[in-house]
Amino acid sequence: MPVNPELFKAFAAFRRLRTEGLAQLAKHAERSRHEAGSWLFRCGERSTQALLLLHGIVQIEDQLGRPIAELRGSTASASDAFGTDSPQLTSARCISDVLCLRIDASLLEITLSWDQSSGVEVAEIGGFGDQDWIFRLLQTRTMQELPSAHLQALFMAMHPLDVRADTRIIEQGASGDYFYVIDEGECRALYERGPDSEPELLARFVGGDCFGEEALISGAPRSATVVASRASRLRRIDRANFLKLLNEPLTRSISLDRALARISKRQALWLDLRADETAPLEHSIRVPAHLLRSRSEQLDPDREYICVCENGFRSRVATFLLQQRGIGAFALEGGFDAAIGAK
């Protein structure tokens, strides 16, 4: 059952939002009913949703189960969203039957912070008329790894690009200028060996997928051509904003000494991105850099990896790619030649 936008006006923080902004929030919110004695969340649980208490009584408890606050619907005690920590630092138990609104925590925070800090609402960000693209992007692992302040600036810096089927979005050999996110549609990455050879299919991208980061991070020419498989809607961000808002917060580097310490304690594995003919590293997994995108699903998401290549450039690209997929990764500073090869 659709959520009535007027329900948000019961909370002071939303009363300044325009009708369009409230409608967008309501579109992505859902009612949630809970019986007395049930738990809304427990300490330590992870969640991407925020809660707004409409009716009922909720008791907030600390890690030892001791009551620390009581929220009552339609009163000042329940005037703000709660349950936004991930992992949760407290637990929430229903004292009575409860009716809540649930909504994506990042979407909620971005909507309110834009309104409060810049006078800009989510519904005003340029695009294709419907702002569902913001909500879809917030569901991707890449965006969930970013702090809210970066998300706000990132969405403001993104520009829409509508392309027809067979449009060549990126040309192999060209310099890197933009990073792309697919809003709707499908694209394919091709490696073109020459005019007399059929291009090799490297990857397919669909809604929520990103591409174009390698040349922006490494400074090297584009390594593949990307073509729209059908009419598609994209968002793109220029190199300067990409490096500042996406690459820097998602790409972590590590010194050789710290890397060796983590390897020796079995806290991480080497992810060797070099060509197959090079001698393997101890405690390593070999995935040549050009195959990482297609083979990343074979990596254990519960393990941490230290990426190593010859000079460090591809390691930074790999770290960004793995962080996008929710896999913990570091780039070895200087790469193999400067760090390990010099030992």
Side-chain angles (χ1 to χ4, degrees):
M1 182 177 179
V3 171
N4 186 340
E6 293 296 313
L7 290 176
F8 285 94
K9 292 185 178 180
F11 305 91
F14 300 94
R15 291 170 190 160
R16 293 177 53 201
L17 293 181
R18 300 180 204 171
T19 302
E20 295 85 353
L22 291 173
Q24 284 295 323
L25 289 177
K27 187 174 183 178
H28 298 295
E30 61 179 16
R31 287 186 181 86
S32 179
R33 296 184 182 275
H34 304 268
E35 295 181 351
S38 63
W39 296 90
L40 295 178
F41 55 82
R42 289 180 180 267
C43 186
E45 291 181 349
R46 292 187 175 275
S47 174
T48 60
Q49 293 190 316
L51 296 169
L52 293 164
L53 181 59
L54 293 171
H55 302 293
I57 305 172
V58 173
Q59 182 170 279
I60 306 299
E61 302 177 359
D62 65 14
Q63 296 179 358
L64 299 178
R66 297 174 298 197
I68 57 176
E70 186 176 88
L71 310 181
R72 291 177 176 266
S74 302
T75 70
S77 66
S79 60
D80 295 318
F82 66 103
T84 56
D85 294 315
S86 186
Q88 298 289 354
L89 303 178
T90 57
S91 299
R93 184 164 59 90
C94 299
I95 302 301
S96 68
D97 290 348
V98 162
L99 175 62
C100 292
L101 289 178
R102 289 182 178 269
I103 189 168
D104 182 89
S106 294
L107 179 63
L108 185 65
E109 185 171 352
I110 287 171
T111 301
L112 293 176
S113 63
W114 273 343
D115 176 69
Q116 293 166 359
S117 63
S118 62
V120 178
E121 293 193 43
V122 171
E124 294 178 312
I125 304 302
F128 301 100
D130 188 346
Q131 303 308 316
D132 283 353
W133 67 274
I134 293 179
F135 180 76
R136 283 194 291 271
L137 285 184
L138 288 172
Q139 309 311 303
T140 64
R141 288 178 176 175
T142 303
M143 301 305 164
Q144 291 172 5
E145 293 287 333
L146 293 175
S148 296
H150 280 73
L151 284 172
Q152 177 181 342
L154 178 67
F155 287 139
M156 293 293 289
M158 280 187 165
H159 298 286
L161 179 66
D162 210 343
V163 297
R164 297 178 179 178
D166 299 322
T167 298
R168 296 170 72 90
I169 302 162
I170 287 178
E171 289 284 354
Q172 183 175 319
S175 58
D177 48 6
Y178 290 99
F179 173 74
Y180 297 86
V181 181
I182 299 181
D183 179 6
E184 295 178 358
E186 181 179 344
C187 300
R188 60 189 186 277
L190 305 171
Y191 179 68
E192 299 177 313
R193 301 183 183 278
D196 299 326
S197 302
E198 285 292 318
E200 177 186 353
L201 177 64
L202 299 178
R204 293 187 183 276
F205 307 110
V206 295
D209 287 342
C210 311
F211 60 87
E213 71 280 348
E214 182 174 350
L216 302 188
I217 297 173
S218 68
R222 297 287 195 186
S223 60
T225 294
V226 177
V227 180
S229 300
R230 55 187 173 90
S232 301
R233 292 176 172 179
L234 312 177
R235 300 276 161 177
R236 68 180 185 179
I237 184 170
D238 62 57
R239 185 173 187 269
N241 279 307
F242 166 79
L243 294 175
K244 177 182 178 181
L245 301 173
L246 266 172
N247 184 49
E248 289 180 10
L250 287 182
T251 303
R252 303 181 296 175
S253 61
I254 190 171
S255 67
L256 178 61
D257 290 341
R258 287 182 57 213
L260 291 174
R262 297 186 75 83
I263 296 292
S264 66
K265 295 176 182 177
R266 301 188 183 279
Q267 295 174 337
L269 287 174
W270 292 114
L271 182 59
D272 194 346
L273 304 167
R274 299 173 300 155
D276 287 329
E277 60 268 17
T278 56
L281 295 171
E282 189 176 1
H283 306 299
S284 71
I285 295 176
R286 174 68 62 84
V287 181
H290 68 284
L291 298 176
L292 182 59
R293 191 183 291 272
S294 61
R295 293 187 182 177
S296 61
E297 293 183 357
Q298 300 174 13
L299 300 178
D300 184 352
D302 295 324
R303 295 299 301 266
E304 191 171 77
Y305 298 92
I306 299 175
C307 302
V308 58
C309 65
E310 289 83 355
N311 53 26
F313 289 124
R314 287 186 294 174
S315 295
R316 292 198 293 273
V317 175
T319 301
F320 178 82
L321 185 66
L322 294 179
Q323 290 285 104
Q324 282 184 300
R325 287 156 171 73
I327 300 174
F330 292 88
L332 180 65
E333 294 175 353
F336 180 88
D337 294 343
I340 301 175
K343 289 282 185 179

